[in-house]
Amino acid sequence: MPGDAVVQLRFLEPLDKYQHEKPYRLFVGKPDEADITNVSLETISNIPVHDVRGEEEKYELDEHGFQFVTYDPEFTAFHDEQQIEFQYLPQVKQMILEKVPYAEKVFVFDWRLRKQMSEEDMDKLVSPAEILQRHFVLAPSQTVHTDTTEFTLLKRVATHLPNEAHHLLKGRVQMINFWRPLYHPVKNWPLAVCDGRSTPIKNLVAVDQVGRRFVGDNYYATYDAGYKWYYLSSMAIGEGVLFKSWDTGNQAASKVCLHSSCNMPSSMLPEVYHPRFSIECRALVFSPLEE
């Protein structure tokens, strides 16, 4: 039976050059005399990750930055992009409105499929053409990060909801992600989430993400021994996790939730299991300013 684990995670290497050179990743092809990225990562071993199985209800979105949830798993047409857009995403929107009771408006703007792959494919760079294909299946993310900075979060509101942005930006804005398995329980490469209260904001480094359709940045994190990591073992169909990529509010105990997939120790894996296959949605969540 899975339980607490000790894993490796990748963090941004704390190089001096990032004091005068912003980290970046290009998804637009490689310009002449430029690198696709200047990001350097380091792998840290012996990181404890606590299994929340049996105590999922202890963890709350505003307190910890993440919240494990259950949902109706009836939708299964993840092979069909149109059905995802017009049937599944509205279900995600409704679920977030129910799980985040103070939310007044939810706009789900993005989704991605990810699947466990061979070691070679896990580390392969994604081409600009592939990243534009909504249904292209990515490998699990192996770098500790969050999906936006505050600057990019506000930019996304203006981009996706231009007619409402002036009004919406007067309130509290969050990017909340929803992650879940597709067809089978997750045995390896589960999503590990970090307690936002254990995350010093000074450890977050903005990294430019330069795409053809959108240019913004997200946060990578440098290593800190004080991070507190959690996962839900054998996450099954009907189970998932909500987590904050950023929160413009200042009253909640957690403003952000670092996250990364992690390769479980072989001693904790069954002899035969289905490779992880998951979907993650990203939503803009709007609510009044906290009092």
Side-chain angles (χ1 to χ4, degrees):
M1 185 71 180
D4 294 354
V6 177
V7 303
Q8 294 182 336
L9 294 175
R10 292 181 185 175
F11 296 86
L12 183 70
E13 194 172 359
L15 301 180
D16 290 340
K17 71 176 182 179
Y18 296 140
Q19 301 299 318
H20 55 81
E21 178 182 314
K22 188 174 181 180
Y24 69 86
R25 294 183 66 195
L26 301 180
F27 298 97
V28 292
K30 183 181 179 301
D32 293 339
E33 300 181 0
D35 295 323
I36 291 176
T37 182
N38 65 347
V39 169
S40 295
L41 303 173
E42 60 177 354
T43 300
I44 305 297
S45 302
N46 300 317
I47 295 178
V49 184
H50 177 62
D51 182 7
V52 306
R53 176 65 68 187
E55 56 181 35
E56 297 94 320
E57 294 182 359
K58 287 175 53 177
Y59 302 94
E60 299 180 350
L61 191 65
D62 276 343
E63 183 69 16
H64 303 88
F66 59 87
Q67 182 174 323
F68 294 94
V69 298
T70 57
Y71 57 89
D72 182 353
E74 180 179 351
F75 182 88
T76 59
F78 293 106
H79 61 281
D80 188 316
E81 183 174 334
Q82 292 299 311
Q83 290 192 61
I84 291 175
E85 294 281 351
F86 295 107
Q87 295 183 36
Y88 180 66
L89 297 192
Q91 293 177 18
V92 172
K93 171 184 174 179
Q94 186 58 39
M95 185 269 294
I96 293 175
L97 285 168
E98 293 172 359
K99 303 297 184 181
V100 186
Y102 55 77
E104 293 187 339
K105 181 181 179 67
V106 173
F107 181 79
V108 183
F109 69 91
D110 188 33
W111 58 273
R112 277 290 182 185
L113 302 175
R114 292 183 182 268
K115 187 176 183 179
Q116 180 180 343
M117 301 178 181
S118 68
E119 185 174 345
E120 179 182 358
D121 288 337
M122 289 279 280
D123 291 323
K124 186 181 297 183
L125 290 175
V126 179
S127 73
E130 289 169 335
I131 204 71
L132 290 176
Q133 298 174 35
R134 173 60 58 201
H135 220 81
F136 181 77
V137 179
L138 301 173
S141 175
Q142 301 177 67
T143 304
V144 173
H145 69 287
T146 185
D147 286 9
T148 190
T149 63
E150 183 157 328
F151 168 81
T152 293
L153 174 57
L154 302 183
K155 181 178 179 179
R156 286 201 176 276
V157 176
T159 298
H160 296 295
L161 300 166
N163 295 330
E164 303 173 71
H166 179 73
H167 167 69
L168 293 172
L169 292 176
K170 293 179 180 179
R172 179 184 180 186
V173 184
Q174 298 181 76
M175 183 187 291
I176 295 177
N177 300 35
F178 175 56
W179 190 98
R180 54 154 289 187
L182 293 190
Y183 305 117
H184 306 284
V186 177
K187 299 298 183 181
N188 199 9
W189 294 102
L191 189 73
V193 289
C194 185
D195 190 331
R197 300 170 301 176
S198 71
T199 304
I201 299 299
K202 65 179 179 61
N203 289 6
L204 305 182
V205 180
V207 179
D208 279 338
Q209 308 288 317
V210 182
R212 289 177 177 170
R213 295 177 180 169
F214 188 84
V215 177
D217 53 9
N218 66 351
Y219 282 126
Y220 284 21
T222 55
Y223 172 68
D224 192 301
Y227 293 140
K228 296 186 183 302
W229 291 95
Y230 302 84
Y231 84 111
L232 178 62
S233 62
S234 298
M235 184 183 284
I237 309 307
E239 297 178 323
V241 60
L242 293 170
F243 57 93
K244 295 185 183 186
S245 274
W246 192 257
D247 182 353
T248 65
N250 294 308
Q251 300 301 314
S254 288
K255 193 175 186 71
V256 65
C257 176
L258 295 173
H259 55 282
S260 173
S261 298
C262 58
N263 191 12
M264 298 296 284
S266 58
S267 61
M268 298 182 68
L269 298 175
E271 290 187 11
V272 179
Y273 62 92
H274 292 279
R276 176 198 127 177
F277 202 172
S278 61
I279 185 168
E280 181 177 346
C281 299
R282 297 190 290 171
L284 304 174
V285 179
F286 304 93
S287 57
L289 291 172
E290 311 105 310
E291 296 184 4

